[in-house]
Amino acid sequence: MLDAMNDAVKRLIGHSSMKVPELQSGVSDLILFQSSVTTPIEAALHEPAIGLILQGEKEICWGNTVERIGPGSSVIVSHDLPVMSRVTRASERQPYRSIVFVFGQPIVRGLIDKLEIEDDRDTKSLALSVSKAEPDFLDALSRYLNLASGSSEASVLAPLIRTELHYRALVAPHGAMLRRAANRNDHAARIGLAVTHLRKNYRLSLHVSELAAISKMSVSSFHTHFRAVTATTPIQYQKDLRLIEARRMLRDEEATVAEAANAVGYESTTQFTREFRRKYGKPPREERSSWRNNT
């Protein structure tokens, strides 16, 4: 089935005038990726989604965890999560290809309310989990992908299969944190409230006590549960969000270093430069000039 899906993605990308490596598939919430070369490590904010590697290999890093994933691997992300990733195996003859299905949180919560799913509150899992894709998930994703070519059945079948894909992710062996995030009584769901607040307000000076209050936890309990979900601290999470956005501004908007630093909430350009270099291995001024020279 992987081979057939890989061929389908190849055709869809080949017929599209849109820019690769990322392509909106034509059906809701399905994104296709392709790269014929290995890539340098990139930082990004990964939304709640389930991904499937079709061909090639990719390395994903978050917190102190590193996962190297290949064909047939399924990746479930339950919370907005800053990650570092790179394509580690790809060529012109055998490009890296993957599919990402982005979750609709109302659908996830609606299914949790209807399903009798085992309580996962004592399960130790992170916001990003990797496992071999289940056959039922592959079957549903293959049927959904087939609708991306413009089938007249899409308007009727796509919403049904979309719901099924959410269900398959929820009941997957590595879907525990996704189930927990949708369970309003679970600590993971309350950490999700703090994550949402951080994402919206990362430019502001935030106090951990404020985030703990949003999550309805004590400060010490909040620290423990935040790290248990995201594998990082609230302060580092905010820094990651700031640096991801600053890098985007340097590349896409040709912002100056000072403009980018100020826009994402840094009061000191020196501190911004130091933390940018620590994360990306080069100063922001060099990042800006090298990106302009390569475009």
Side-chain angles (χ1 to χ4, degrees), residues 10-256:
K10 179 181 178 180
R11 287 194 301 273
L12 286 167
I13 290 177
H15 293 159
S16 174
S17 60
M18 293 178 66
K19 182 181 179 181
V20 291
E22 180 176 333
L23 171 68
Q24 297 291 333
S25 68
V27 287
S28 179
D29 304 323
L30 196 66
I31 305 170
L32 314 178
F33 292 87
Q34 175 174 289
S35 177
S36 59
V37 296
T38 58
T39 61
I41 197 157
E42 292 282 353
L45 182 67
H46 206 312
E47 295 181 295
I50 182 167
L52 175 68
I53 309 300
L54 297 172
Q55 185 170 274
E57 284 186 355
K58 189 172 190 176
E59 186 178 83
I60 304 178
C61 313
W62 74 103
N64 295 319
T65 303
V66 179
E67 287 275 5
R68 193 158 188 161
I69 52 180
S73 293
S74 168
V75 183
I76 292 180
V77 180
S78 60
H79 296 66
D80 291 325
L81 189 67
V83 301
M84 305 282 283
S85 66
R86 58 176 178 157
V87 174
T88 54
R89 183 158 60 90
S91 67
E92 288 285 349
R93 186 174 179 179
Q94 288 191 311
Y96 166 84
R97 291 195 186 99
S98 65
I99 305 174
V100 172
F101 176 75
V102 181
F103 296 132
Q105 293 304 317
I107 297 178
V108 173
R109 294 192 183 98
L111 286 170
I112 282 289
D113 291 340
K114 294 178 182 178
L115 300 175
E116 294 183 7
I117 295 178
E118 182 180 348
D119 194 325
D120 293 298
R121 277 177 286 183
D122 294 329
T123 302
K124 291 184 179 180
S125 56
L126 292 167
L128 191 152
S129 184
V130 179
S131 182
K132 182 178 179 181
E134 295 288 298
D136 288 340
F137 166 72
L138 290 176
D139 176 65
L141 186 59
S142 178
R143 286 184 279 115
Y144 198 57
L145 182 62
N146 287 339
L147 299 177
S149 60
S151 168
S152 59
E153 301 173 331
S155 61
V156 175
L157 295 181
L160 303 176
I161 304 175
R162 190 179 304 130
T163 300
E164 181 183 354
L165 284 167
H166 285 82
Y167 170 77
R168 298 299 177 193
L170 278 169
V171 301
H174 60 314
M177 187 57 79
L178 181 64
R179 297 190 291 269
R180 292 184 57 194
N183 182 346
R184 293 176 178 84
N185 297 318
D186 195 288
H187 287 119
R190 287 189 272 163
I191 291 299
L193 298 176
V195 164
T196 298
H197 186 79
L198 270 168
R199 184 173 180 183
K200 292 179 179 178
N201 300 283
Y202 65 88
R203 296 175 175 86
L204 305 179
S205 178
L206 298 174
H207 301 284
V208 174
S209 57
E210 179 184 354
L211 297 172
I214 290 169
S215 301
K216 299 180 182 178
M217 299 180 191
S218 67
V219 171
S220 61
S221 179
F222 173 74
H223 262 294
T224 299
H225 289 292
F226 191 94
R227 183 180 282 276
V229 171
T230 66
T232 190
T233 67
I235 299 302
Q236 186 58 52
Y237 187 101
Q238 183 185 36
K239 284 182 183 179
D240 287 341
L241 293 181
R242 287 179 168 183
L243 293 172
I244 288 169
E245 173 60 13
R247 195 183 200 193
R248 186 199 66 78
M249 291 183 65
L250 291 168
R251 289 181 167 189
D252 297 349
E253 300 179 11
E254 297 189 4
T256 66

